[in-house]
Amino acid sequence: MYRVASASEYLVITGVGIPDIKLAKKAWILPGQSYTKFDVSPVNYTFEVQAMSAEKLPFILPAVFTIGPRVDDEDSLLKYAKLISSHDKLSNHTKELVQGIIEGETRVLAASMTMEEVFRGTKEFKKEVFEKVQLELNQFGLLIYNANVKQLVDVVGHEYFSYLGQKTQMEAANQAKIDVSEARMKGEIGAKLRDGQTLQNAAKIDAETKVIATQRQGEGKKEEIKVRTDVKVFENQREAEVAEANAELAKKKAGWAKEAQVAEVEANKAVALRGAELQREVEKMNAMTQTEKLKAEFLSKASVEYETKVQEANWELYKKQKAAEAYLYEKEKEAQAQKAAADAAYYGRKQIVDGDLYAKKKEAEGMIALAEAQGTYLRTLVDALGGNYGAVRDYLMISGGMYQEVAKINAEAVRGLQPKISIWTNGGGGSSEETGTSSAMKEVAGVYKMLPPLLNTVHDQTGMHPPAWMGTLARPPAPPTNNNN
């Protein structure tokens, strides 16, 4: 038999060839197999759960749960088919099962919370109840599609929520009266403050608006100029790329045309040579036929010898002609090869020249960019040093190692002379420690005495004075004047 379940039903098949059970919407029922149908549409269950808080205060939780099989999970459907599908969804068995789970979880959760926590955190309380109930229903393959918990109700004789509501209403009424008085006071004071602040803020906003509008106009103009510049650069790059591609295509077309013309000329020459060869063969056969005819007519030995010599001479002539034609063909090929080599060399030289030109162009652009960067660097230095050219020059000489290089050159020059210097000291007559200290200080003083001649040498060689923080050069003495009065 072939059985089909409705849209809200499933077939549960057991029997031969099925280890446990099989769920299907449509299937063949074979001999030795049985089947049943179960509905998966959800059902509403209404309960009034009686619970007790941590303070031993009882209350009633009215709730409506919409519960049904979980159709999006095959394992859950298998659990429901095994455990629940044999009972009607509205039967006392199913209802008591669901009610027992809901009441048990609600009572356990309520017992851990005070009445104030339950009343003020009703939303969180409901959420935890749903989560814990759903966790227990999972083992039966059931799903809570919707749950609606009504307002908590007092048990007769324990009117906690009603008294709490009255308290809340009275507190709200008193607070409302206080709020009205404060609002009236704040309103009168705030009106005056708002009028003054309105005038102040209006003036401030007008000034800020003008400043922001001016800034936005300047930024808009800057962005517009930047976009135009980028577009122009992009167009120039694309035009250069198109021109380069066209030039490359033209070169390739010229090369292909040249190769086609060379192949056509070679083909024509080959055809002409083959025609000439065939024509000679025909003439040769005609001559041989004529000779045989003459030999048959005259039967003369002399004629035969004559014709033989004539044929030999013709053969020699033919061989010389073939040799000459082969030599001519070889020379033509050599000329064509030389021409092709010359064209290739010309193209290679042209590419090298173009590459050198492009490299020179890029090098020039790089030098221009470097010069502009150096100019910006120098202008920044001059501005930072207040336009003091001497300070800029001293900074560049120090950072560039000019003084170290001059000292090194002078030292190399002195070392090249290989001077022999002897230092004589008489000891000063003091103790050894005092004599050593005095000698060391004299050596240090000698080093400092060398600085003025060194600075004079730098001035003589470069024309530059030392920095102000290092010292100044003494003016040369004025030439003597003759006072012969």
Side-chain angles (χ1 to χ4, degrees):
M1 295 180 295
Y2 189 72
R3 290 291 180 262
V4 178
S6 63
S8 61
E9 293 180 340
Y10 272 88
L11 297 176
V12 182
I13 306 171
T14 59
V16 178
I18 300 175
D20 190 5
I21 62 173
K22 176 182 177 182
L23 298 179
K25 298 291 288 185
K26 52 187 177 179
W28 285 99
I29 307 302
L30 303 177
Q33 295 180 350
S34 64
Y35 77 96
T36 58
K37 294 181 181 179
F38 68 91
D39 192 4
V40 295
S41 58
V43 177
N44 290 331
Y45 297 95
T46 303
F47 307 106
E48 287 188 356
V49 181
Q50 293 187 358
M52 186 174 292
S53 66
E55 302 97 340
K56 304 298 187 293
L57 295 175
F59 64 92
I60 298 174
L61 178 68
V64 179
F65 286 81
T66 303
I67 300 174
R70 185 187 291 271
V71 296
D72 57 351
D73 186 12
E74 186 177 356
D75 292 338
S76 298
L77 275 178
L78 289 173
K79 291 179 181 178
Y80 179 82
K82 291 179 181 179
L83 303 175
I84 308 295
S85 64
S86 60
H87 302 279
D88 185 77
K89 290 183 290 185
L90 296 176
S91 64
N92 291 332
H93 174 81
T94 306
K95 187 174 181 179
E96 291 175 357
L97 173 66
V98 176
Q99 184 176 2
I101 293 174
I102 294 174
E103 290 181 350
E105 295 299 330
T106 303
R107 290 191 181 111
V108 170
L109 183 61
S112 64
M113 300 175 65
T114 63
M115 187 64 77
E116 185 70 18
E117 291 174 348
V118 174
F119 182 75
R120 295 189 179 276
T122 305
K123 185 177 180 181
E124 289 74 15
F125 177 73
K126 293 176 183 178
K127 183 179 178 182
E128 291 192 22
V129 169
F130 299 158
E131 291 178 352
K132 293 184 179 297
V133 170
Q134 180 60 64
L135 186 62
E136 294 296 328
L137 291 178
N138 286 336
Q139 59 185 335
F140 299 101
L142 295 173
L143 173 67
I144 300 175
Y145 285 88
N146 186 27
N148 184 15
V149 177
K150 300 178 182 180
Q151 184 64 38
L152 301 177
V153 179
D154 290 320
V155 178
V156 178
H158 300 81
E159 287 78 12
Y160 175 81
F161 292 118
S162 60
Y163 292 149
L164 186 62
Q166 293 176 9
K167 175 185 175 184
T168 304
Q169 290 177 1
M170 295 301 294
E171 290 178 351
N174 295 332
Q175 185 64 37
K177 292 179 181 179
I178 296 171
D179 293 340
V180 169
S181 299
E182 290 182 353
R184 185 179 296 110
M185 178 186 66
K186 291 180 180 178
E188 293 176 356
I189 297 173
K192 299 296 183 180
L193 291 175
R194 290 295 182 272
D195 292 339
Q197 291 178 356
T198 300
L199 296 176
Q200 295 176 4
N201 291 334
K204 182 179 179 182
I205 290 172
D206 290 339
E208 293 178 352
T209 302
K210 292 180 180 180
V211 173
I212 293 173
T214 305
Q215 292 177 350
R216 291 291 184 272
Q217 291 178 358
E219 293 175 357
K221 291 181 179 179
K222 289 181 181 179
E223 291 297 328
E224 183 180 357
I225 294 172
K226 182 178 178 181
V227 170
R228 290 179 180 176
T229 303
D230 294 339
V231 170
K232 189 63 178 176
V233 171
F234 181 77
E235 290 177 352
N236 294 337
Q237 291 177 351
R238 287 294 175 270
E239 290 178 358
E241 292 176 357
V242 171
E244 184 179 359
N246 291 335
E248 187 68 21
L249 180 60
K251 291 178 182 179
K252 292 182 178 180
K253 286 183 177 180
W256 294 337
K258 183 175 69 175
E259 292 177 358
Q261 291 177 358
V262 170
E264 184 178 0
V265 171
E266 291 179 351
N268 293 334
K269 289 184 178 179
V271 171
L273 290 174
R274 185 57 180 167
E277 291 176 356
L278 294 175
Q279 184 64 29
R280 289 190 182 89
E281 292 293 334
V282 171
E283 293 178 355
K284 181 179 178 182
M285 295 300 295
N286 291 335
M288 293 174 65
T289 303
Q290 188 66 23
T291 301
E292 291 296 330
K293 184 178 180 181
L294 292 173
K295 286 167 63 179
E297 289 178 355
F298 297 102
L299 299 175
S300 173
K301 182 178 179 181
S303 297
V304 173
E305 291 177 355
Y306 174 75
E307 291 297 331
T308 302
K309 291 181 180 179
V310 169
Q311 290 297 327
E312 290 176 355
N314 290 336
W315 178 247
E316 291 295 330
L317 177 61
Y318 175 75
K319 289 195 295 183
K320 291 180 180 179
Q321 289 178 348
K322 293 296 290 181
E325 289 174 356
Y327 179 78
L328 176 62
Y329 180 76
E330 182 179 359
K331 291 298 181 183
E332 288 177 354
K333 287 295 182 181
E334 290 179 356
Q336 292 175 0
Q338 292 177 358
K339 182 179 179 182
D343 292 341
Y346 171 73
Y347 180 75
R349 293 192 187 94
K350 185 178 179 182
Q351 290 295 104
I352 293 172
V353 171
D354 292 342
D356 293 340
L357 177 61
Y358 182 77
K360 294 294 184 183
K361 183 178 178 180
K362 290 299 181 182
E363 183 178 358
E365 293 177 356
M367 293 175 67
I368 291 173
L370 179 60
E372 292 177 354
Q374 290 179 348
T376 303
Y377 173 64
L378 291 176
R379 284 196 298 272
T380 305
L381 281 179
V382 172
D383 294 340
L385 296 175
N388 189 347
Y389 170 75
V392 174
R393 180 198 61 198
D394 295 341
Y395 174 77
L396 293 175
M397 290 180 64
I398 293 171
S399 61
M402 176 67 75
Y403 291 106
Q404 293 89 332
E405 191 66 24
V406 171
K408 182 179 179 181
I409 293 172
N410 290 331
E412 292 293 335
V414 173
R415 186 173 65 179
L417 298 175
Q418 297 182 356
K420 296 182 180 179
I421 301 173
S422 300
I423 300 175
W424 298 85
T425 60
N426 55 9
S431 63
S432 60
E433 294 181 357
E434 294 177 354
T435 303
T437 304
S438 176
S439 177
M441 294 303 296
K442 287 181 180 180
E443 295 296 333
V444 173
V447 172
Y448 277 96
K449 289 179 181 180
M450 292 171 61
L451 288 176
L454 176 61
L455 297 176
N456 286 326
T457 303
V458 172
H459 178 265
D460 294 339
Q461 294 178 356
T462 64
M464 296 182 181
H465 291 279
W469 53 266
M470 185 176 290
T472 57
L473 297 178
R475 295 183 179 179
T481 57
N482 294 325
N483 296 326
N484 297 324
N485 294 329

